[in-house]
Amino acid sequence: MLILESVHTFYGHIHALKGVTLTVNEGEIVTLIGSNGAGKTTTLNTISGVLDAQAGAIYLERSANGGQGRAAATGEPGIRLDRLPAHEIARLGVSQSPEGRKIFARLSVKENLAMGAFARSDADGIQSDLARVLELFPRLEERLNQPGGTLSGGEQQMLAIGRSLMSRPSILLLDEPSMGLAPLLVQQIFQIIREINARGTTILLVEQNAQAALQVAHRGYVLETGRIVLSGDAQQLLADPQVAEAYLGI
Protein backbone atom coordinates (compact mmCIF):
# COMPACT_ATOMS: atom_id res chain seq x y z
CA MET A 1 0.00 0.00 0.00
CA LEU A 2 2.87 2.39 0.80
CA ILE A 3 6.34 2.38 -0.79
CA LEU A 4 9.33 4.55 0.10
CA GLU A 5 12.25 4.33 -2.32
CA SER A 6 15.60 5.86 -1.28
CA VAL A 7 14.00 8.87 0.39
CA HIS A 8 16.26 11.75 1.46
CA THR A 9 15.00 14.61 3.64
CA PHE A 10 16.88 17.62 4.98
CA TYR A 11 16.36 20.20 7.71
CA GLY A 12 18.32 23.05 6.16
CA HIS A 13 21.83 21.61 5.84
CA ILE A 14 21.09 18.68 8.18
CA HIS A 15 20.68 15.41 6.27
CA ALA A 16 17.90 13.76 8.32
CA LEU A 17 16.86 10.82 6.10
CA LYS A 18 19.61 9.17 4.07
CA GLY A 19 17.99 6.86 1.53
CA VAL A 20 15.12 5.33 3.53
CA THR A 21 13.45 2.44 1.73
CA LEU A 22 10.48 0.58 3.22
CA THR A 23 7.12 -0.91 2.31
CA VAL A 24 3.81 -1.31 4.12
CA ASN A 25 1.44 -3.94 2.75
CA GLU A 26 -2.33 -3.68 2.96
CA GLY A 27 -3.67 -4.93 6.30
CA GLU A 28 -0.31 -4.83 8.09
CA ILE A 29 0.97 -3.10 11.18
CA VAL A 30 4.55 -2.12 10.36
CA THR A 31 6.63 -0.47 13.06
CA LEU A 32 9.61 1.84 12.72
CA ILE A 33 11.82 1.80 15.81
CA GLY A 34 14.97 3.65 16.74
CA SER A 35 16.48 6.00 19.29
CA ASN A 36 15.68 9.70 19.68
CA GLY A 37 16.89 11.65 16.66
CA ALA A 38 17.05 8.61 14.39
CA GLY A 39 14.55 10.12 11.93
CA LYS A 40 11.33 8.30 12.83
CA THR A 41 9.07 11.36 13.04
CA THR A 42 10.83 12.86 10.02
CA THR A 43 9.87 9.76 8.04
CA LEU A 44 6.19 10.13 8.90
CA ASN A 45 6.21 13.88 8.25
CA THR A 46 7.81 13.27 4.86
CA ILE A 47 5.15 10.70 3.95
CA SER A 48 2.32 13.04 4.96
CA GLY A 49 3.83 16.01 3.11
CA VAL A 50 4.62 18.13 6.16
CA LEU A 51 8.27 17.89 5.05
CA ASP A 52 9.53 17.69 1.46
CA ALA A 53 11.57 14.75 0.21
CA GLN A 54 14.59 16.16 -1.65
CA ALA A 55 15.30 12.84 -3.38
CA GLY A 56 13.70 9.44 -3.79
CA ALA A 57 10.01 8.61 -4.22
CA ILE A 58 6.97 7.84 -2.06
CA TYR A 59 4.08 5.91 -3.58
CA LEU A 60 0.57 5.19 -2.36
CA GLU A 61 -0.34 1.94 -4.08
CA ARG A 62 -2.64 2.53 -7.01
CA SER A 63 -5.65 0.61 -5.66
CA ALA A 64 -5.65 2.54 -2.37
CA ASN A 65 -8.56 4.97 -2.04
CA GLY A 66 -9.51 4.76 -5.71
CA GLY A 67 -6.25 6.14 -7.08
CA GLN A 68 -5.76 3.62 -9.89
CA GLY A 69 -6.47 5.93 -12.80
CA ARG A 70 -3.97 8.60 -11.77
CA ALA A 71 -1.21 6.08 -11.13
CA ALA A 72 -1.80 3.87 -14.15
CA ALA A 73 -1.33 6.83 -16.47
CA THR A 74 2.28 7.15 -15.33
CA GLY A 75 3.17 3.46 -15.30
CA GLU A 76 4.43 3.87 -11.73
CA PRO A 77 3.52 1.54 -8.83
CA GLY A 78 1.22 4.15 -7.30
CA ILE A 79 0.44 7.81 -6.80
CA ARG A 80 3.60 9.88 -6.17
CA LEU A 81 2.91 11.38 -2.75
CA ASP A 82 6.20 13.27 -2.70
CA ARG A 83 4.89 15.45 -5.55
CA LEU A 84 1.72 16.45 -3.70
CA PRO A 85 0.94 19.01 -0.96
CA ALA A 86 -0.08 17.74 2.47
CA HIS A 87 -3.80 18.48 2.10
CA GLU A 88 -4.02 16.38 -1.08
CA ILE A 89 -2.16 13.51 0.60
CA ALA A 90 -4.69 13.62 3.45
CA ARG A 91 -7.56 13.47 0.95
CA LEU A 92 -6.00 10.36 -0.62
CA GLY A 93 -6.42 8.49 2.67
CA VAL A 94 -3.11 9.05 4.48
CA SER A 95 -3.89 10.19 8.02
CA GLN A 96 -1.37 11.03 10.76
CA SER A 97 -1.78 11.04 14.54
CA PRO A 98 1.19 13.29 15.41
CA GLU A 99 3.77 13.09 18.15
CA GLY A 100 2.60 15.15 21.11
CA ARG A 101 -1.09 14.69 20.11
CA LYS A 102 -1.53 18.31 18.88
CA ILE A 103 -5.25 18.41 19.57
CA PHE A 104 -7.18 21.68 19.40
CA ALA A 105 -7.25 22.58 23.10
CA ARG A 106 -10.10 25.11 22.95
CA LEU A 107 -12.37 23.00 20.76
CA SER A 108 -14.62 20.39 22.30
CA VAL A 109 -13.93 16.68 21.91
CA LYS A 110 -16.74 16.48 19.36
CA GLU A 111 -15.34 19.43 17.40
CA ASN A 112 -11.86 17.89 17.42
CA LEU A 113 -13.28 14.68 15.97
CA ALA A 114 -15.24 16.65 13.36
CA MET A 115 -11.98 18.31 12.27
CA GLY A 116 -10.67 14.86 11.35
CA ALA A 117 -13.43 14.61 8.73
CA PHE A 118 -12.75 18.04 7.19
CA ALA A 119 -12.21 16.61 3.70
CA ARG A 120 -15.39 14.53 3.69
CA SER A 121 -18.91 15.47 2.61
CA ASP A 122 -20.74 12.16 3.30
CA ALA A 123 -22.76 13.14 6.38
CA ASP A 124 -24.11 9.64 6.99
CA GLY A 125 -20.62 8.11 6.73
CA ILE A 126 -19.20 10.70 9.11
CA GLN A 127 -21.88 9.93 11.70
CA SER A 128 -21.23 6.21 11.28
CA ASP A 129 -17.48 6.68 11.77
CA LEU A 130 -18.07 8.93 14.80
CA ALA A 131 -20.09 6.11 16.37
CA ARG A 132 -17.23 3.66 15.67
CA VAL A 133 -14.64 6.00 17.20
CA LEU A 134 -16.77 6.45 20.35
CA GLU A 135 -17.18 2.67 20.52
CA LEU A 136 -13.39 2.30 20.43
CA PHE A 137 -12.92 5.12 22.97
CA PRO A 138 -15.87 5.19 25.42
CA ARG A 139 -14.04 7.79 27.54
CA LEU A 140 -14.40 10.27 24.69
CA GLU A 141 -18.15 9.78 24.55
CA GLU A 142 -18.36 10.74 28.23
CA ARG A 143 -16.47 13.97 27.46
CA LEU A 144 -17.89 14.98 24.07
CA ASN A 145 -18.64 18.56 25.09
CA GLN A 146 -15.49 19.17 27.15
CA PRO A 147 -12.66 21.29 25.70
CA GLY A 148 -9.89 19.00 24.45
CA GLY A 149 -7.34 20.79 26.61
CA THR A 150 -9.09 19.64 29.81
CA LEU A 151 -8.57 15.95 29.04
CA SER A 152 -5.87 13.82 30.67
CA GLY A 153 -2.81 12.83 28.64
CA GLY A 154 -4.23 9.41 27.89
CA GLU A 155 -7.58 10.84 26.85
CA GLN A 156 -5.86 13.36 24.58
CA GLN A 157 -3.99 10.50 22.91
CA MET A 158 -7.28 8.70 22.34
CA LEU A 159 -8.69 11.91 20.87
CA ALA A 160 -5.71 12.35 18.53
CA ILE A 161 -6.09 8.78 17.22
CA GLY A 162 -9.86 9.14 16.98
CA ARG A 163 -9.51 12.39 15.03
CA SER A 164 -7.20 10.60 12.55
CA LEU A 165 -9.70 7.78 12.12
CA MET A 166 -12.48 10.24 11.25
CA SER A 167 -10.90 10.74 7.83
CA ARG A 168 -11.53 7.02 7.17
CA PRO A 169 -7.86 6.48 6.24
CA SER A 170 -6.52 3.75 4.00
CA ILE A 171 -3.28 4.01 6.00
CA LEU A 172 -2.84 5.43 9.50
CA LEU A 173 0.49 6.94 10.59
CA LEU A 174 0.87 6.73 14.38
CA ASP A 175 3.69 8.76 15.93
CA GLU A 176 4.69 7.78 19.50
CA PRO A 177 1.16 6.92 20.73
CA SER A 178 2.45 5.71 24.13
CA MET A 179 4.62 8.76 24.90
CA GLY A 180 4.17 10.03 28.44
CA LEU A 181 1.46 7.55 29.38
CA ALA A 182 1.23 5.38 32.48
CA PRO A 183 1.91 1.65 31.92
CA LEU A 184 -1.77 0.64 32.17
CA LEU A 185 -2.73 3.25 29.58
CA VAL A 186 0.12 2.14 27.32
CA GLN A 187 -1.29 -1.38 27.39
CA GLN A 188 -4.77 -0.05 26.58
CA ILE A 189 -3.52 2.07 23.66
CA PHE A 190 -1.73 -0.90 22.09
CA GLN A 191 -4.83 -3.07 22.47
CA ILE A 192 -6.78 -0.37 20.62
CA ILE A 193 -4.12 -0.27 17.87
CA ARG A 194 -4.64 -4.02 17.39
CA GLU A 195 -8.40 -3.48 17.23
CA ILE A 196 -8.10 -0.68 14.66
CA ASN A 197 -5.95 -2.93 12.48
CA ALA A 198 -8.33 -5.87 12.91
CA ARG A 199 -11.12 -3.64 11.58
CA GLY A 200 -9.19 -3.20 8.34
CA THR A 201 -6.92 -0.15 8.74
CA THR A 202 -3.28 -0.48 7.64
CA ILE A 203 -0.88 1.11 10.16
CA LEU A 204 2.66 2.48 10.10
CA LEU A 205 3.66 2.84 13.75
CA VAL A 206 6.57 4.92 15.05
CA GLU A 207 7.29 4.05 18.66
CA GLN A 208 10.14 4.39 21.13
CA ASN A 209 8.70 1.57 23.23
CA ALA A 210 10.23 -0.97 20.86
CA GLN A 211 9.12 -4.05 22.77
CA ALA A 212 5.43 -3.04 22.81
CA ALA A 213 5.58 -2.00 19.15
CA LEU A 214 7.15 -5.25 17.97
CA GLN A 215 4.61 -7.26 19.96
CA VAL A 216 1.69 -5.75 18.01
CA ALA A 217 3.39 -5.38 14.61
CA HIS A 218 3.68 -7.84 11.74
CA ARG A 219 7.00 -6.46 10.51
CA GLY A 220 9.52 -3.89 11.65
CA TYR A 221 12.35 -1.62 10.53
CA VAL A 222 15.19 -0.29 12.66
CA LEU A 223 16.26 3.27 11.87
CA GLU A 224 19.64 4.70 12.92
CA THR A 225 20.74 8.25 12.07
CA GLY A 226 18.49 8.40 9.04
CA ARG A 227 19.26 4.94 7.63
CA ILE A 228 17.41 1.61 7.80
CA VAL A 229 19.92 -0.79 9.36
CA LEU A 230 17.72 -3.82 10.00
CA SER A 231 14.31 -5.11 8.95
CA GLY A 232 12.25 -8.26 9.20
CA ASP A 233 9.42 -10.11 10.84
CA ALA A 234 8.51 -8.50 14.17
CA GLN A 235 9.05 -11.68 16.15
CA GLN A 236 12.46 -12.19 14.55
CA LEU A 237 13.45 -8.64 15.50
CA LEU A 238 12.28 -9.24 19.08
CA ALA A 239 14.61 -12.24 19.26
CA ASP A 240 17.54 -10.46 17.58
CA PRO A 241 20.40 -9.89 20.11
CA GLN A 242 21.38 -6.61 18.44
CA VAL A 243 17.84 -5.25 18.78
CA ALA A 244 17.49 -6.60 22.32
CA GLU A 245 20.65 -4.87 23.48
CA ALA A 246 20.10 -1.55 21.71
CA TYR A 247 16.34 -1.06 22.03
CA LEU A 248 14.77 -3.52 24.46
CA GLY A 249 17.04 -2.93 27.45
CA ILE A 250 18.14 -6.56 27.51
Side-chain angles (χ1 to χ4, degrees), residues 237-250:
L237 291 176
L238 269 173
D240 187 294
Q242 182 181 346
V243 174
E245 181 178 357
Y247 303 105
L248 307 184
I250 300 172

Side-chain angles (χ1 to χ4, degrees), residues 6-205:
S6 300
V7 171
H8 293 257
T9 301
F10 290 77
Y11 290 100
H13 296 296
I14 299 171
H15 198 172
L17 298 185
K18 304 167 184 174
V20 169
T21 295
L22 61 82
T23 60
V24 182
N25 298 316
E26 187 173 2
E28 283 189 314
I29 300 175
V30 173
T31 188
L32 186 61
I33 63 173
S35 58
N36 281 334
K40 304 186 302 298
T41 294
T42 300
T43 301
L44 295 193
N45 286 342
T46 304
I47 294 167
S48 63
V50 175
L51 294 172
D52 292 329
Q54 274 75 39
I58 304 171
Y59 298 100
L60 184 68
E61 199 276 332
R62 64 179 58 176
S63 65
N65 211 26
Q68 183 168 359
R70 292 176 62 180
T74 66
E76 293 179 330
I79 300 168
R80 281 287 296 269
L81 297 186
D82 55 291
R83 293 174 176 169
L84 300 176
H87 66 277
E88 285 196 34
I89 294 172
R91 284 190 169 94
L92 285 169
V94 179
S95 184
Q96 183 169 351
S97 177
E99 181 183 10
R101 297 136 200 173
K102 294 183 174 62
I103 62 160
F104 300 101
R106 295 185 181 182
L107 298 185
S108 70
V109 168
K110 188 173 184 179
E111 289 167 334
N112 268 276
L113 293 173
M115 288 297 290
F118 80 96
R120 298 175 60 182
S121 56
D122 56 323
D124 290 343
I126 291 170
Q127 282 302 117
S128 174
D129 285 342
L130 177 61
R132 289 192 191 97
V133 167
L134 297 180
E135 181 188 348
L136 272 173
F137 303 107
R139 297 276 284 277
L140 297 183
E141 187 167 21
E142 298 167 10
R143 292 158 172 73
L144 268 181
N145 297 313
Q146 280 185 226
T150 66
L151 302 184
S152 69
E155 290 164 349
Q156 288 188 18
Q157 185 62 68
M158 294 174 189
L159 180 55
I161 296 173
R163 181 182 59 188
S164 298
L165 290 173
M166 286 299 297
S167 68
R168 194 177 283 182
S170 54
I171 184 163
L172 177 62
L173 310 179
L174 291 178
D175 195 352
E176 302 284 6
S178 75
M179 180 182 286
L181 301 185
L184 280 176
L185 276 176
V186 170
Q187 186 177 6
Q188 184 180 356
I189 288 294
F190 278 101
Q191 286 172 347
I192 290 167
I193 290 169
R194 274 199 182 104
E195 176 64 21
I196 291 168
N197 179 247
R199 294 184 182 197
T201 302
T202 303
I203 296 173
L204 177 57
L205 168 66

